[in-house]
Amino acid sequence: MAVRETVAFDLEKIDRLIEEEEAELEPKHRASIEYRKTAARYVAGGVASSWQDSPPHAIFVDHGQGNRLFDIDGNEYIDFHLGYGAMVVGHAHPKIAEAIERAARRGTHFAQPTRDLDVIGENLADRFRLPLWRFCNSGTEATLEAGRLMRATTGRDVLIKIEGTYHGHHDSLMFSVVPDPGKIGPREHPVTLPQAPGIPQAFADLVRVIPFNDLVEARRAFEENVGRVAGLIIEPAMMNCGLIMPEPGYLQGLKDLCHEHGAYLAFDEVKTGATIAYGGAVEVFGVVPDIVCLAKAIGGGTPCGAIGATEELYRPVVAGEYDMAGTFNGNPLTMAASRAALTEVLTKDAYATFDAVDAKMKEGLRAVIEEHHLPAYVTGVGAKGSVIYAEKPVREYRDSIGVDERITYLAWLFQQNRGVFKSPWTKQETWTLSVWHTEADAQRYIDNFAEFATAVTS
Ligand SMILES: Cc1ncc(COP(=O)(O)O)c(C=O)c1O
């Protein structure tokens, strides 16, 4: 393979450009900045979730329509953030809005099952090749149940997770999400680091962390914990650390390893499910795990979650020995939106559209990277993609540590100042496409990226 010549990023120039772009952005968001002060009188930090606040300031949204987002200052953006990837159906999709409206007029909550269950269950079983499903209200709840199901069925306590992945904010798995490079320990024995204060060490002692894309280290973790591991949970393509694809054979190797040790394999498809393909990572990588956790895209923009698993894993739930419960599980508004999203909007044809726009994005971005000799590359599949600011492919969290966040922040500022809304700017985020995104939208993203590339290299 020919060696590509690249020019290293000039971080001093990047700092200067950041100052210029921030100065340009601030006056556009005066109403957001002011409103936040009002909200902060009674709401901690003036935002609903800590991750709605990222530098330079929180941006308050007025409304969305299709592929467009409008903030309270009246700025219009093409939305590639899409609510952290949940809105692949786009904003205010008429089919989803009608479904929610119809359901709302018939009662918004019963805590009793309704007649959407079979259609949604069948659709998910078809997509993800697992026979039984339950519903919840978030990705956090889905992975919490996955961990507990694996522990319940095996009678073992240890879970294995991948360094640099996020599975939600519960205490069983909120470890080594974006761990401090100074504290992570050796690669063959990463330290299990809580991502938030208040998570007991006793919980950390039950979680073994391993690097992504490495079957040797996975085997080591099992062999050092013989008879103790309930299961391994993994984002089949890592999406909270740039976007890292699994290497051929890795996921199947993990499944074999889990089963060899009497443990289970859970895919956290909260981000990949119903976005990278009709059947998510199960379809793209051709491996069916024992559990699939879903949320985000499957709810058409409502608070949602789902857990798919084998009959063996669901046996205690079906037998009434394990309460998988929640007041709002199967809420009629969520079910109505989910049914419309899965059966009427995210049809197989929608994925052909994602693939076409994705191809355009990748081709255009790659051309810019080549032309400007950027030490970067483009990766992604279906509705998800990312530019990674590294010369060599990032295979695991530790490879991404060298990516300077000032570069991704500047790239974010360039998009934001030029009408493209991207997810918060750390090196962890990807772009998402909706069914409303066109090749013209992709071109806008590419043109902004070209301006960024020119600015950093000129
Ligand atoms: C891979 C993954 N799993 C789980 C979650 C948690 O989902 P939620 O925020 O709906 O609780 C997220 C959220 O970003 C995620 O990216």
Side-chain angles (χ1 to χ4, degrees):
M1 207 171 77
V3 178
R4 200 167 68 85
E5 295 235 338
T6 58
V7 180
F9 288 106
D10 174 348
L11 292 173
E12 272 180 32
K13 180 184 281 182
I14 285 184
D15 284 339
R16 273 200 312 279
L17 288 166
I18 286 175
E19 270 181 40
E20 283 171 30
E21 291 292 319
E22 280 181 340
E24 189 180 330
L25 193 68
E26 216 233 39
K28 295 179 184 168
H29 291 152
R30 289 268 152 81
S32 272
I33 293 163
E34 274 312 302
Y35 180 75
R36 182 180 183 173
K37 292 182 197 152
T38 308
R41 288 180 306 161
Y42 298 107
V43 176
V47 291
S49 156
S50 296
W51 292 346
Q52 291 168 7
D53 174 26
S54 68
H57 45 251
I59 301 166
F60 286 74
V61 171
D62 184 71
H63 68 286
Q65 189 64 56
N67 55 3
R68 292 297 200 270
L69 192 75
F70 300 84
D71 69 22
I72 64 170
D73 283 270
N75 298 302
E76 175 180 341
Y77 310 86
I78 305 171
D79 189 3
F80 285 86
H81 173 16
L82 292 170
Y84 278 122
M87 299 307 299
V88 279
V89 295
H91 299 295
H93 194 295
K95 289 201 162 107
I96 311 283
E98 278 157 29
I100 293 177
E101 211 174 293
R102 261 198 316 274
R105 291 185 196 288
R106 292 164 52 82
T108 58
H109 183 61
F110 313 113
Q112 287 296 122
T114 59
R115 285 185 293 186
D116 287 317
L117 292 186
D118 65 322
V119 174
I120 299 172
E122 188 176 6
N123 186 287
L124 295 179
D126 179 47
R127 287 174 190 255
F128 298 97
R129 319 236 161 257
L130 283 170
L132 290 177
W133 292 81
R134 273 284 179 93
F135 305 104
C136 53
N137 307 290
S138 66
T140 295
E141 291 175 35
T143 63
L144 181 157
E145 293 290 1
R148 190 179 289 164
L149 261 185
M150 297 192 288
R151 284 173 166 158
T153 308
T154 56
R156 302 172 177 176
D157 286 342
V158 174
L159 297 176
I160 300 179
K161 85 170 282 280
I162 305 294
E163 193 167 50
T165 54
Y166 177 60
H167 297 296
H169 54 273
H170 57 82
D171 287 355
S172 300
L173 289 167
M174 203 180 182
F175 297 105
S176 303
V177 177
V178 194
D180 178 343
K183 298 183 181 161
I184 50 181
R187 192 172 170 278
E188 59 282 10
H189 288 111
V191 179
T192 301
L193 290 168
Q195 189 62 29
I199 302 177
Q201 181 59 39
F203 287 50
D205 294 342
L206 300 178
V207 177
R208 172 68 151 89
V209 174
I210 57 171
F212 193 62
N213 267 331
D214 190 333
L215 285 173
V216 173
E217 290 308 322
R219 180 170 289 283
R220 186 197 306 277
F222 276 103
E223 288 178 353
E224 288 178 356
N225 291 280
V226 173
R228 295 183 67 223
V229 178
L232 186 155
I233 185 161
I234 184 167
E235 247 197 308
M238 277 177 75
M239 289 206 184
N240 283 304
C241 180
L243 197 164
I244 310 179
M245 302 294 265
E247 287 173 0
Y250 177 60
L251 297 173
Q252 183 61 47
L254 285 183
K255 182 173 169 179
D256 295 343
L257 205 48
C258 286
H259 291 183
E260 188 188 316
H261 287 266
Y264 293 105
L265 177 67
F267 279 1
D268 177 349
E269 289 226 44
V270 167
K271 278 197 164 162
T272 53
T275 61
I276 65 171
Y278 179 81
V282 167
E283 177 185 323
V284 172
F285 306 117
V287 176
V288 184
D290 304 296
I291 302 185
V292 165
C293 303
L294 298 171
K296 296 197 195 274
I298 62 155
T302 57
C304 66
I307 309 108
T310 57
E311 287 177 6
E312 176 180 84
L313 275 157
Y314 263 121
R315 195 207 57 78
V317 177
V318 174
E321 297 159 10
Y322 173 130
D323 286 342
M324 188 182 275
T327 301
F328 284 98
N329 290 8
N331 169 267
L333 296 185
T334 303
M335 292 288 99
S338 194
R339 179 176 182 155
L342 291 169
T343 64
E344 295 181 59
V345 183
L346 299 175
T347 56
K348 289 188 174 153
D349 291 347
Y351 296 89
T353 311
F354 292 145
D355 288 344
V357 179
D358 173 63
K360 167 91 185 168
M361 287 281 279
K362 283 195 188 132
E363 187 193 309
L365 294 168
R366 275 183 190 137
V368 173
I369 288 169
E370 287 298 318
E371 188 192 334
H372 294 272
H373 303 283
L374 295 182
Y377 66 95
V378 187
T379 180
V381 55
K384 295 281 195 179
S386 188
V387 174
I388 309 288
Y389 296 92
E391 199 145 13
K392 283 197 280 176
V394 171
R395 296 177 61 244
E396 58 170 286
Y397 172 74
R398 290 182 188 221
D399 293 345
S400 77
I401 290 171
V403 177
D404 196 302
E405 290 194 351
R406 284 173 289 178
I407 303 164
T408 39
Y409 179 41
L410 182 64
W412 182 90
L413 284 166
F414 260 78
Q415 294 288 357
Q416 203 74 16
N417 268 326
R418 291 159 187 77
V420 164
F421 206 108
K422 278 196 66 189
S423 297
W425 50 268
T426 67
K427 58 192 167 198
Q428 303 163 28
E429 270 308 324
T430 51
W431 71 69
T432 305
L433 305 175
S434 83
V435 295
W436 302 97
H437 280 67
T438 62
E439 294 194 14
D441 298 327
Q443 192 57 53
R444 175 84 166 271
Y445 194 110
I446 296 160
D447 291 345
N448 292 347
F449 182 68
E451 278 195 53
F452 159 81
T454 304
V456 295
T457 54
S458 63

